[in-house]
Structures are given as structure tokens and as C-alpha cells.
């Protein structure tokens, strides 16, 4: 990668903004686009460059990070990149969490268009991505990964190679299954400790020092105690990932009872707090006893 070449970022939500911020901090020019113009304005305020379209990003950037919501949006971005003038064929780093069959189809689309392609979903919140402590799960052809390494090193110093295209999504979904159940268990434990009359911060610290420890205590514990649902990760994204997990399990004749329960709690939390609230809002569904299972 030419060190002076700008890097494109398409999708400027929580994760895309974290990606852009890390690149800018590392001294790279960033050209970003999002259908929400207010997000483009926010990028400009960070000293990034706002583009008017996906094609405008492609004209300037040999490497593009895609950080949109779902597979359908990734496909739309690829369609628009194909229409860019000048026959430019950028290297694509896709951070969007997709179903395995979806990302395989996306990679095939990219190959037909002549794009390099790396699958790199991120395990961690946008805050963790911003500080460089999130982990990228990386899959793809060796030459594409090598070409993407300078950008990936900035975005996620912690990276795990996981195999072929599709394997990163498989790994991410299985990790998210565990993560979401840990988050739900933490919310239930905090609510229970509070009803028992324990001091909530003292309980959380005790839990951190116990055999029950999980990293969600660090990322979501304080937010749950304060009922602070300012988003670091949107709860709607948790629902999307759970839907993918349950769909993949059903296709393999596997019943996931704990994931099914936490999905019901996620939906109840959205009804109470809204889809853009933080995933810590699952404690609201427990607080208000709206879900009877």
C-alpha cells in the first residue's frame, strides 16, 4: 500500500467512525462516505475527507474498508464500486458481520469485479476498536491479506488468521454467541445482586475477582450499573447477529436454548429502550420483568 494514498471508509456508524479515527490518528488521509450526511459531517470534523458517493471514494482510494450494517448493504456497495469511472479495482477489507454463505457470495462478487478482498469482522465494541484492543478475525487469499496488512495493523493490532473466506464469519458468530450469553448473565447477576441489597459497584468488583469473570464485566458492567445505554454497540446489531446465529444453527439441526432466551430479552429491551441503545440495555428487560419464559 502506498503510505501516502488515502484509505476509504464506507459506513460511518460506530465501527466505521472508530476505524476512521484510528487511521487519521496514524497519519493517513481518510475519505469516507455514509448515506447519513450527518456522519459525513462528523468525519470532516475529525479532519477526515467526506465523499459524496461510494464511487467518489473509489476514485481516490486503493484500499477501502467497508463497515456497513449487513450483507445486503455490502452487496450494494460492491455494485456501486463496480460502476466507478476509470476501471479502478480497490482492495476491499470487509468488517461487516455476515452469515458464512453471504460473505462467500460477497467475496465471489468481489473476485468477478477484479477487487482484492479480505474478510475481517471485528470482535469487540466500537470503543475497543477505537483504542486498538479489539480483535480482527482475518480470512482470505494470502496475497490479499498481505496487501491489507498495513491497514489492518493500524485498525486492529490484535489479529487472528482463521482460514478461508467464510471462516471469519463462522468464528465471529460462535464468539458472539458466547459473548451475548455472558452479557445476559451479567445483566441478570447485577439485577439479582441489587435485589439482594448488595452495593452494586462492590458486587461488580467482587464478580471481576471471581471465577465468574468475563471481559463483558469491563465493557458493560459500569454501563449496566448506571443504566447508561449510550451506544458503544447498538442492541439492534446484537439482534441481527443472534438471528444469524439461530439461522445457522437451525440449518444444521441444532437447537440453542440459551441463545433463544437471550434473543427474547434483546427484543424486549429494544421495545423498552429503542434499537439504537447500547447492548447493555438488555438489563432493562430484566429490570422490568416484561419477558416471561
Amino acid at each position: 500500500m502506498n503510505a501516502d494514498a488515502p484509505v476509504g471508509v464506507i459506513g460511518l456508524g460506530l465501527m466505521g467512525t472508530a476505524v476512521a479515527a484510528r487511521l487519521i490518528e496514524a497519519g493517513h488521509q481518510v475519505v469516507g462516505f455514509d448515506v447519513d450526511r450527518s456522519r459525513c459531517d462528523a468525519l470532516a470534523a475529525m479532519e477526515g475527507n467526506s465523499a459524496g458517493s461510494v464511487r467518489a471514494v473509489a476514485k481516490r482510494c486503493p484500499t477501502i474498508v467497508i463497515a456497513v450494517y449487513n450483507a445486503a448493504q455490502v452487496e450494494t456497495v460492491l455494485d456501486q464500486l463496480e460502476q466507478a469511472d476509470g476501471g479502478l479495482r480497490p482492495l476491499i477489507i470487509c468488517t461487516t458481520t455476515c452469515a458464512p454463505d453471504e460473505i462467500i457470495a460477497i467475496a465471489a462478487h468481489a473476485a468477478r469485479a477484479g477487487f482484492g478482498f479480505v474478510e475481517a469482522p471485528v470482535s469487540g465494541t466500537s470503543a475497543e476498536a477505537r483504542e486498538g484492543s479489539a480483535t480482527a478475525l482475518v480470512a482470505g487469499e494470502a496475497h490479499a491479506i498481505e496487501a491489507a496488512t498495513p491497514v489492518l495493523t493500524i485498525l486492529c493490532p490484535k489479529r487472528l488468521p482463521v482460514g478461508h473466506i467464510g471462516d471469519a464469519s463462522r468464528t465471529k458468530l460462535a464468539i458472539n454467541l458466547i459473548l451475548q450469553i455472558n452479557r445476559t448473565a451479567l445483566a441478570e447477576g447485577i439485577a439479582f445482586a441489587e435485589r439482594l441489597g448488595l452495593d452494586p459497584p462492590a458486587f461488580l468488583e467482587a464478580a471481576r475477582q471471581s471465577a465468574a469473570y468475563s471481559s463483558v464485566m469491563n465493557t458493560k458492567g459500569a454501563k449496566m450499573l448506571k443504566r447508561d445505554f449510550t451506544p458503544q454497540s447498538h442492541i439492534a446489531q446484537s439482534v441481527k447477529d443472534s438471528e444469524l446465529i439461530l439461522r445457522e444453527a437451525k440449518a444444521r439441526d441444532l437447537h440453542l436454548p440459551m441463545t433463544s432466551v437471550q434473543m427474547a430479552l434483546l427484543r424486549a429491551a429494544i421495545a423498552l429502550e429503542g434499537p439504537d441503545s447500547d447492548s447493555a440495555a438488555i438489563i432493562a428487560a430484566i429490570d422490568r420483568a416484561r419477558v416471561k419464559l
Side-chain angles (χ1 to χ4, degrees), residues 6 51 57 67 77 79 94 130 178 205 268 283:
V57 175
V77 170
D79 286 339
C94 183
R130 176 66 186 86
I178 299 168
E205 185 54 35
I283 198 170

Side-chain angles (χ1 to χ4, degrees), residues 10-13 34 39 66-74 77 95-98 102 234-241 243-244 270 275-276:
I10 297 175
L12 296 171
D34 195 287
R39 294 176 177 178
I66 297 179
V68 296
Y69 179 70
N70 60 19
Q73 291 182 2
V74 177
V77 170
T95 68
T96 301
T97 300
C98 305
E102 292 173 336
H234 291 132
I235 198 166
Q237 189 80 44
S238 297
V239 169
K240 186 209 83 169
D241 290 352
E243 288 172 343
L244 290 177
I270 284 177
D276 293 333

Side-chain angles (χ1 to χ4, degrees), residues 35-285:
V35 293
D36 183 339
R37 294 307 303 173
S38 67
R39 294 176 177 178
C40 296
D41 293 341
L43 175 66
M46 293 165 47
E47 300 184 357
N49 301 286
S50 172
S53 68
V54 168
R55 284 177 283 182
V57 175
K59 288 179 182 179
R60 297 180 60 185
C61 302
T63 302
I64 296 174
V65 181
I66 297 179
V68 296
Y69 179 70
N70 60 19
Q73 291 182 2
V74 177
E75 287 282 9
T76 297
V77 170
L78 290 183
D79 286 339
Q80 293 173 1
L81 288 173
E82 282 189 275
Q83 298 165 15
D85 297 333
L88 300 175
R89 292 295 177 258
L91 170 65
I92 305 298
I93 301 172
C94 183
T95 68
T96 301
T97 300
C98 305
D101 60 332
E102 292 173 336
I103 199 69
I104 289 168
I106 286 166
H109 182 172
R112 290 192 301 272
F115 304 147
F117 188 85
V118 175
E119 179 188 12
V122 177
S123 180
T125 66
S126 61
E128 290 173 307
R130 176 66 186 86
E131 68 187 18
S133 62
T135 300
L137 305 167
V138 181
E141 299 291 338
H143 63 87
I145 293 172
E146 182 179 0
T149 293
V151 169
L152 288 171
T153 299
I154 295 167
L155 301 188
C156 288
K158 294 166 59 179
R159 299 186 303 284
L160 293 175
V162 294
H164 301 292
I165 294 291
D167 289 340
S169 292
R170 294 182 184 99
T171 304
K172 173 74 183 292
L173 291 177
I175 287 171
N176 276 11
L177 184 156
I178 299 168
L179 174 65
Q180 292 195 17
I181 290 172
N182 282 346
R183 191 184 299 139
T184 304
L186 175 62
E188 195 164 293
I190 287 173
F192 181 54
E194 290 171 343
R195 296 297 175 91
L196 289 173
L198 294 173
D199 175 69
F203 166 72
L204 179 60
E205 185 54 35
R208 284 195 181 106
Q209 302 301 320
S210 77
Y213 173 76
S214 70
S215 64
V216 297
M217 294 178 185
N218 300 332
T219 58
K220 301 299 179 185
K223 291 180 75 66
M224 288 183 183
L225 292 185
K226 298 174 184 175
R227 294 345 187 235
D228 170 16
F229 304 142
T230 306
Q232 294 176 340
S233 56
H234 291 132
I235 198 166
Q237 189 80 44
S238 297
V239 169
K240 186 209 83 169
D241 290 352
S242 288
E243 288 172 343
L244 290 177
I245 290 165
L246 290 169
R247 189 181 83 187
E248 293 298 312
K250 183 178 180 181
R252 292 157 178 80
D253 196 28
L254 176 65
H255 177 54
L256 300 175
M258 294 176 72
T259 299
S260 298
V261 168
Q262 71 93 30
M263 170 67 97
L265 288 165
L266 287 171
R267 287 177 172 150
I270 284 177
L272 292 165
E273 299 293 337
D276 293 333
S277 57
D278 190 83
S279 55
I282 195 165
I283 198 170

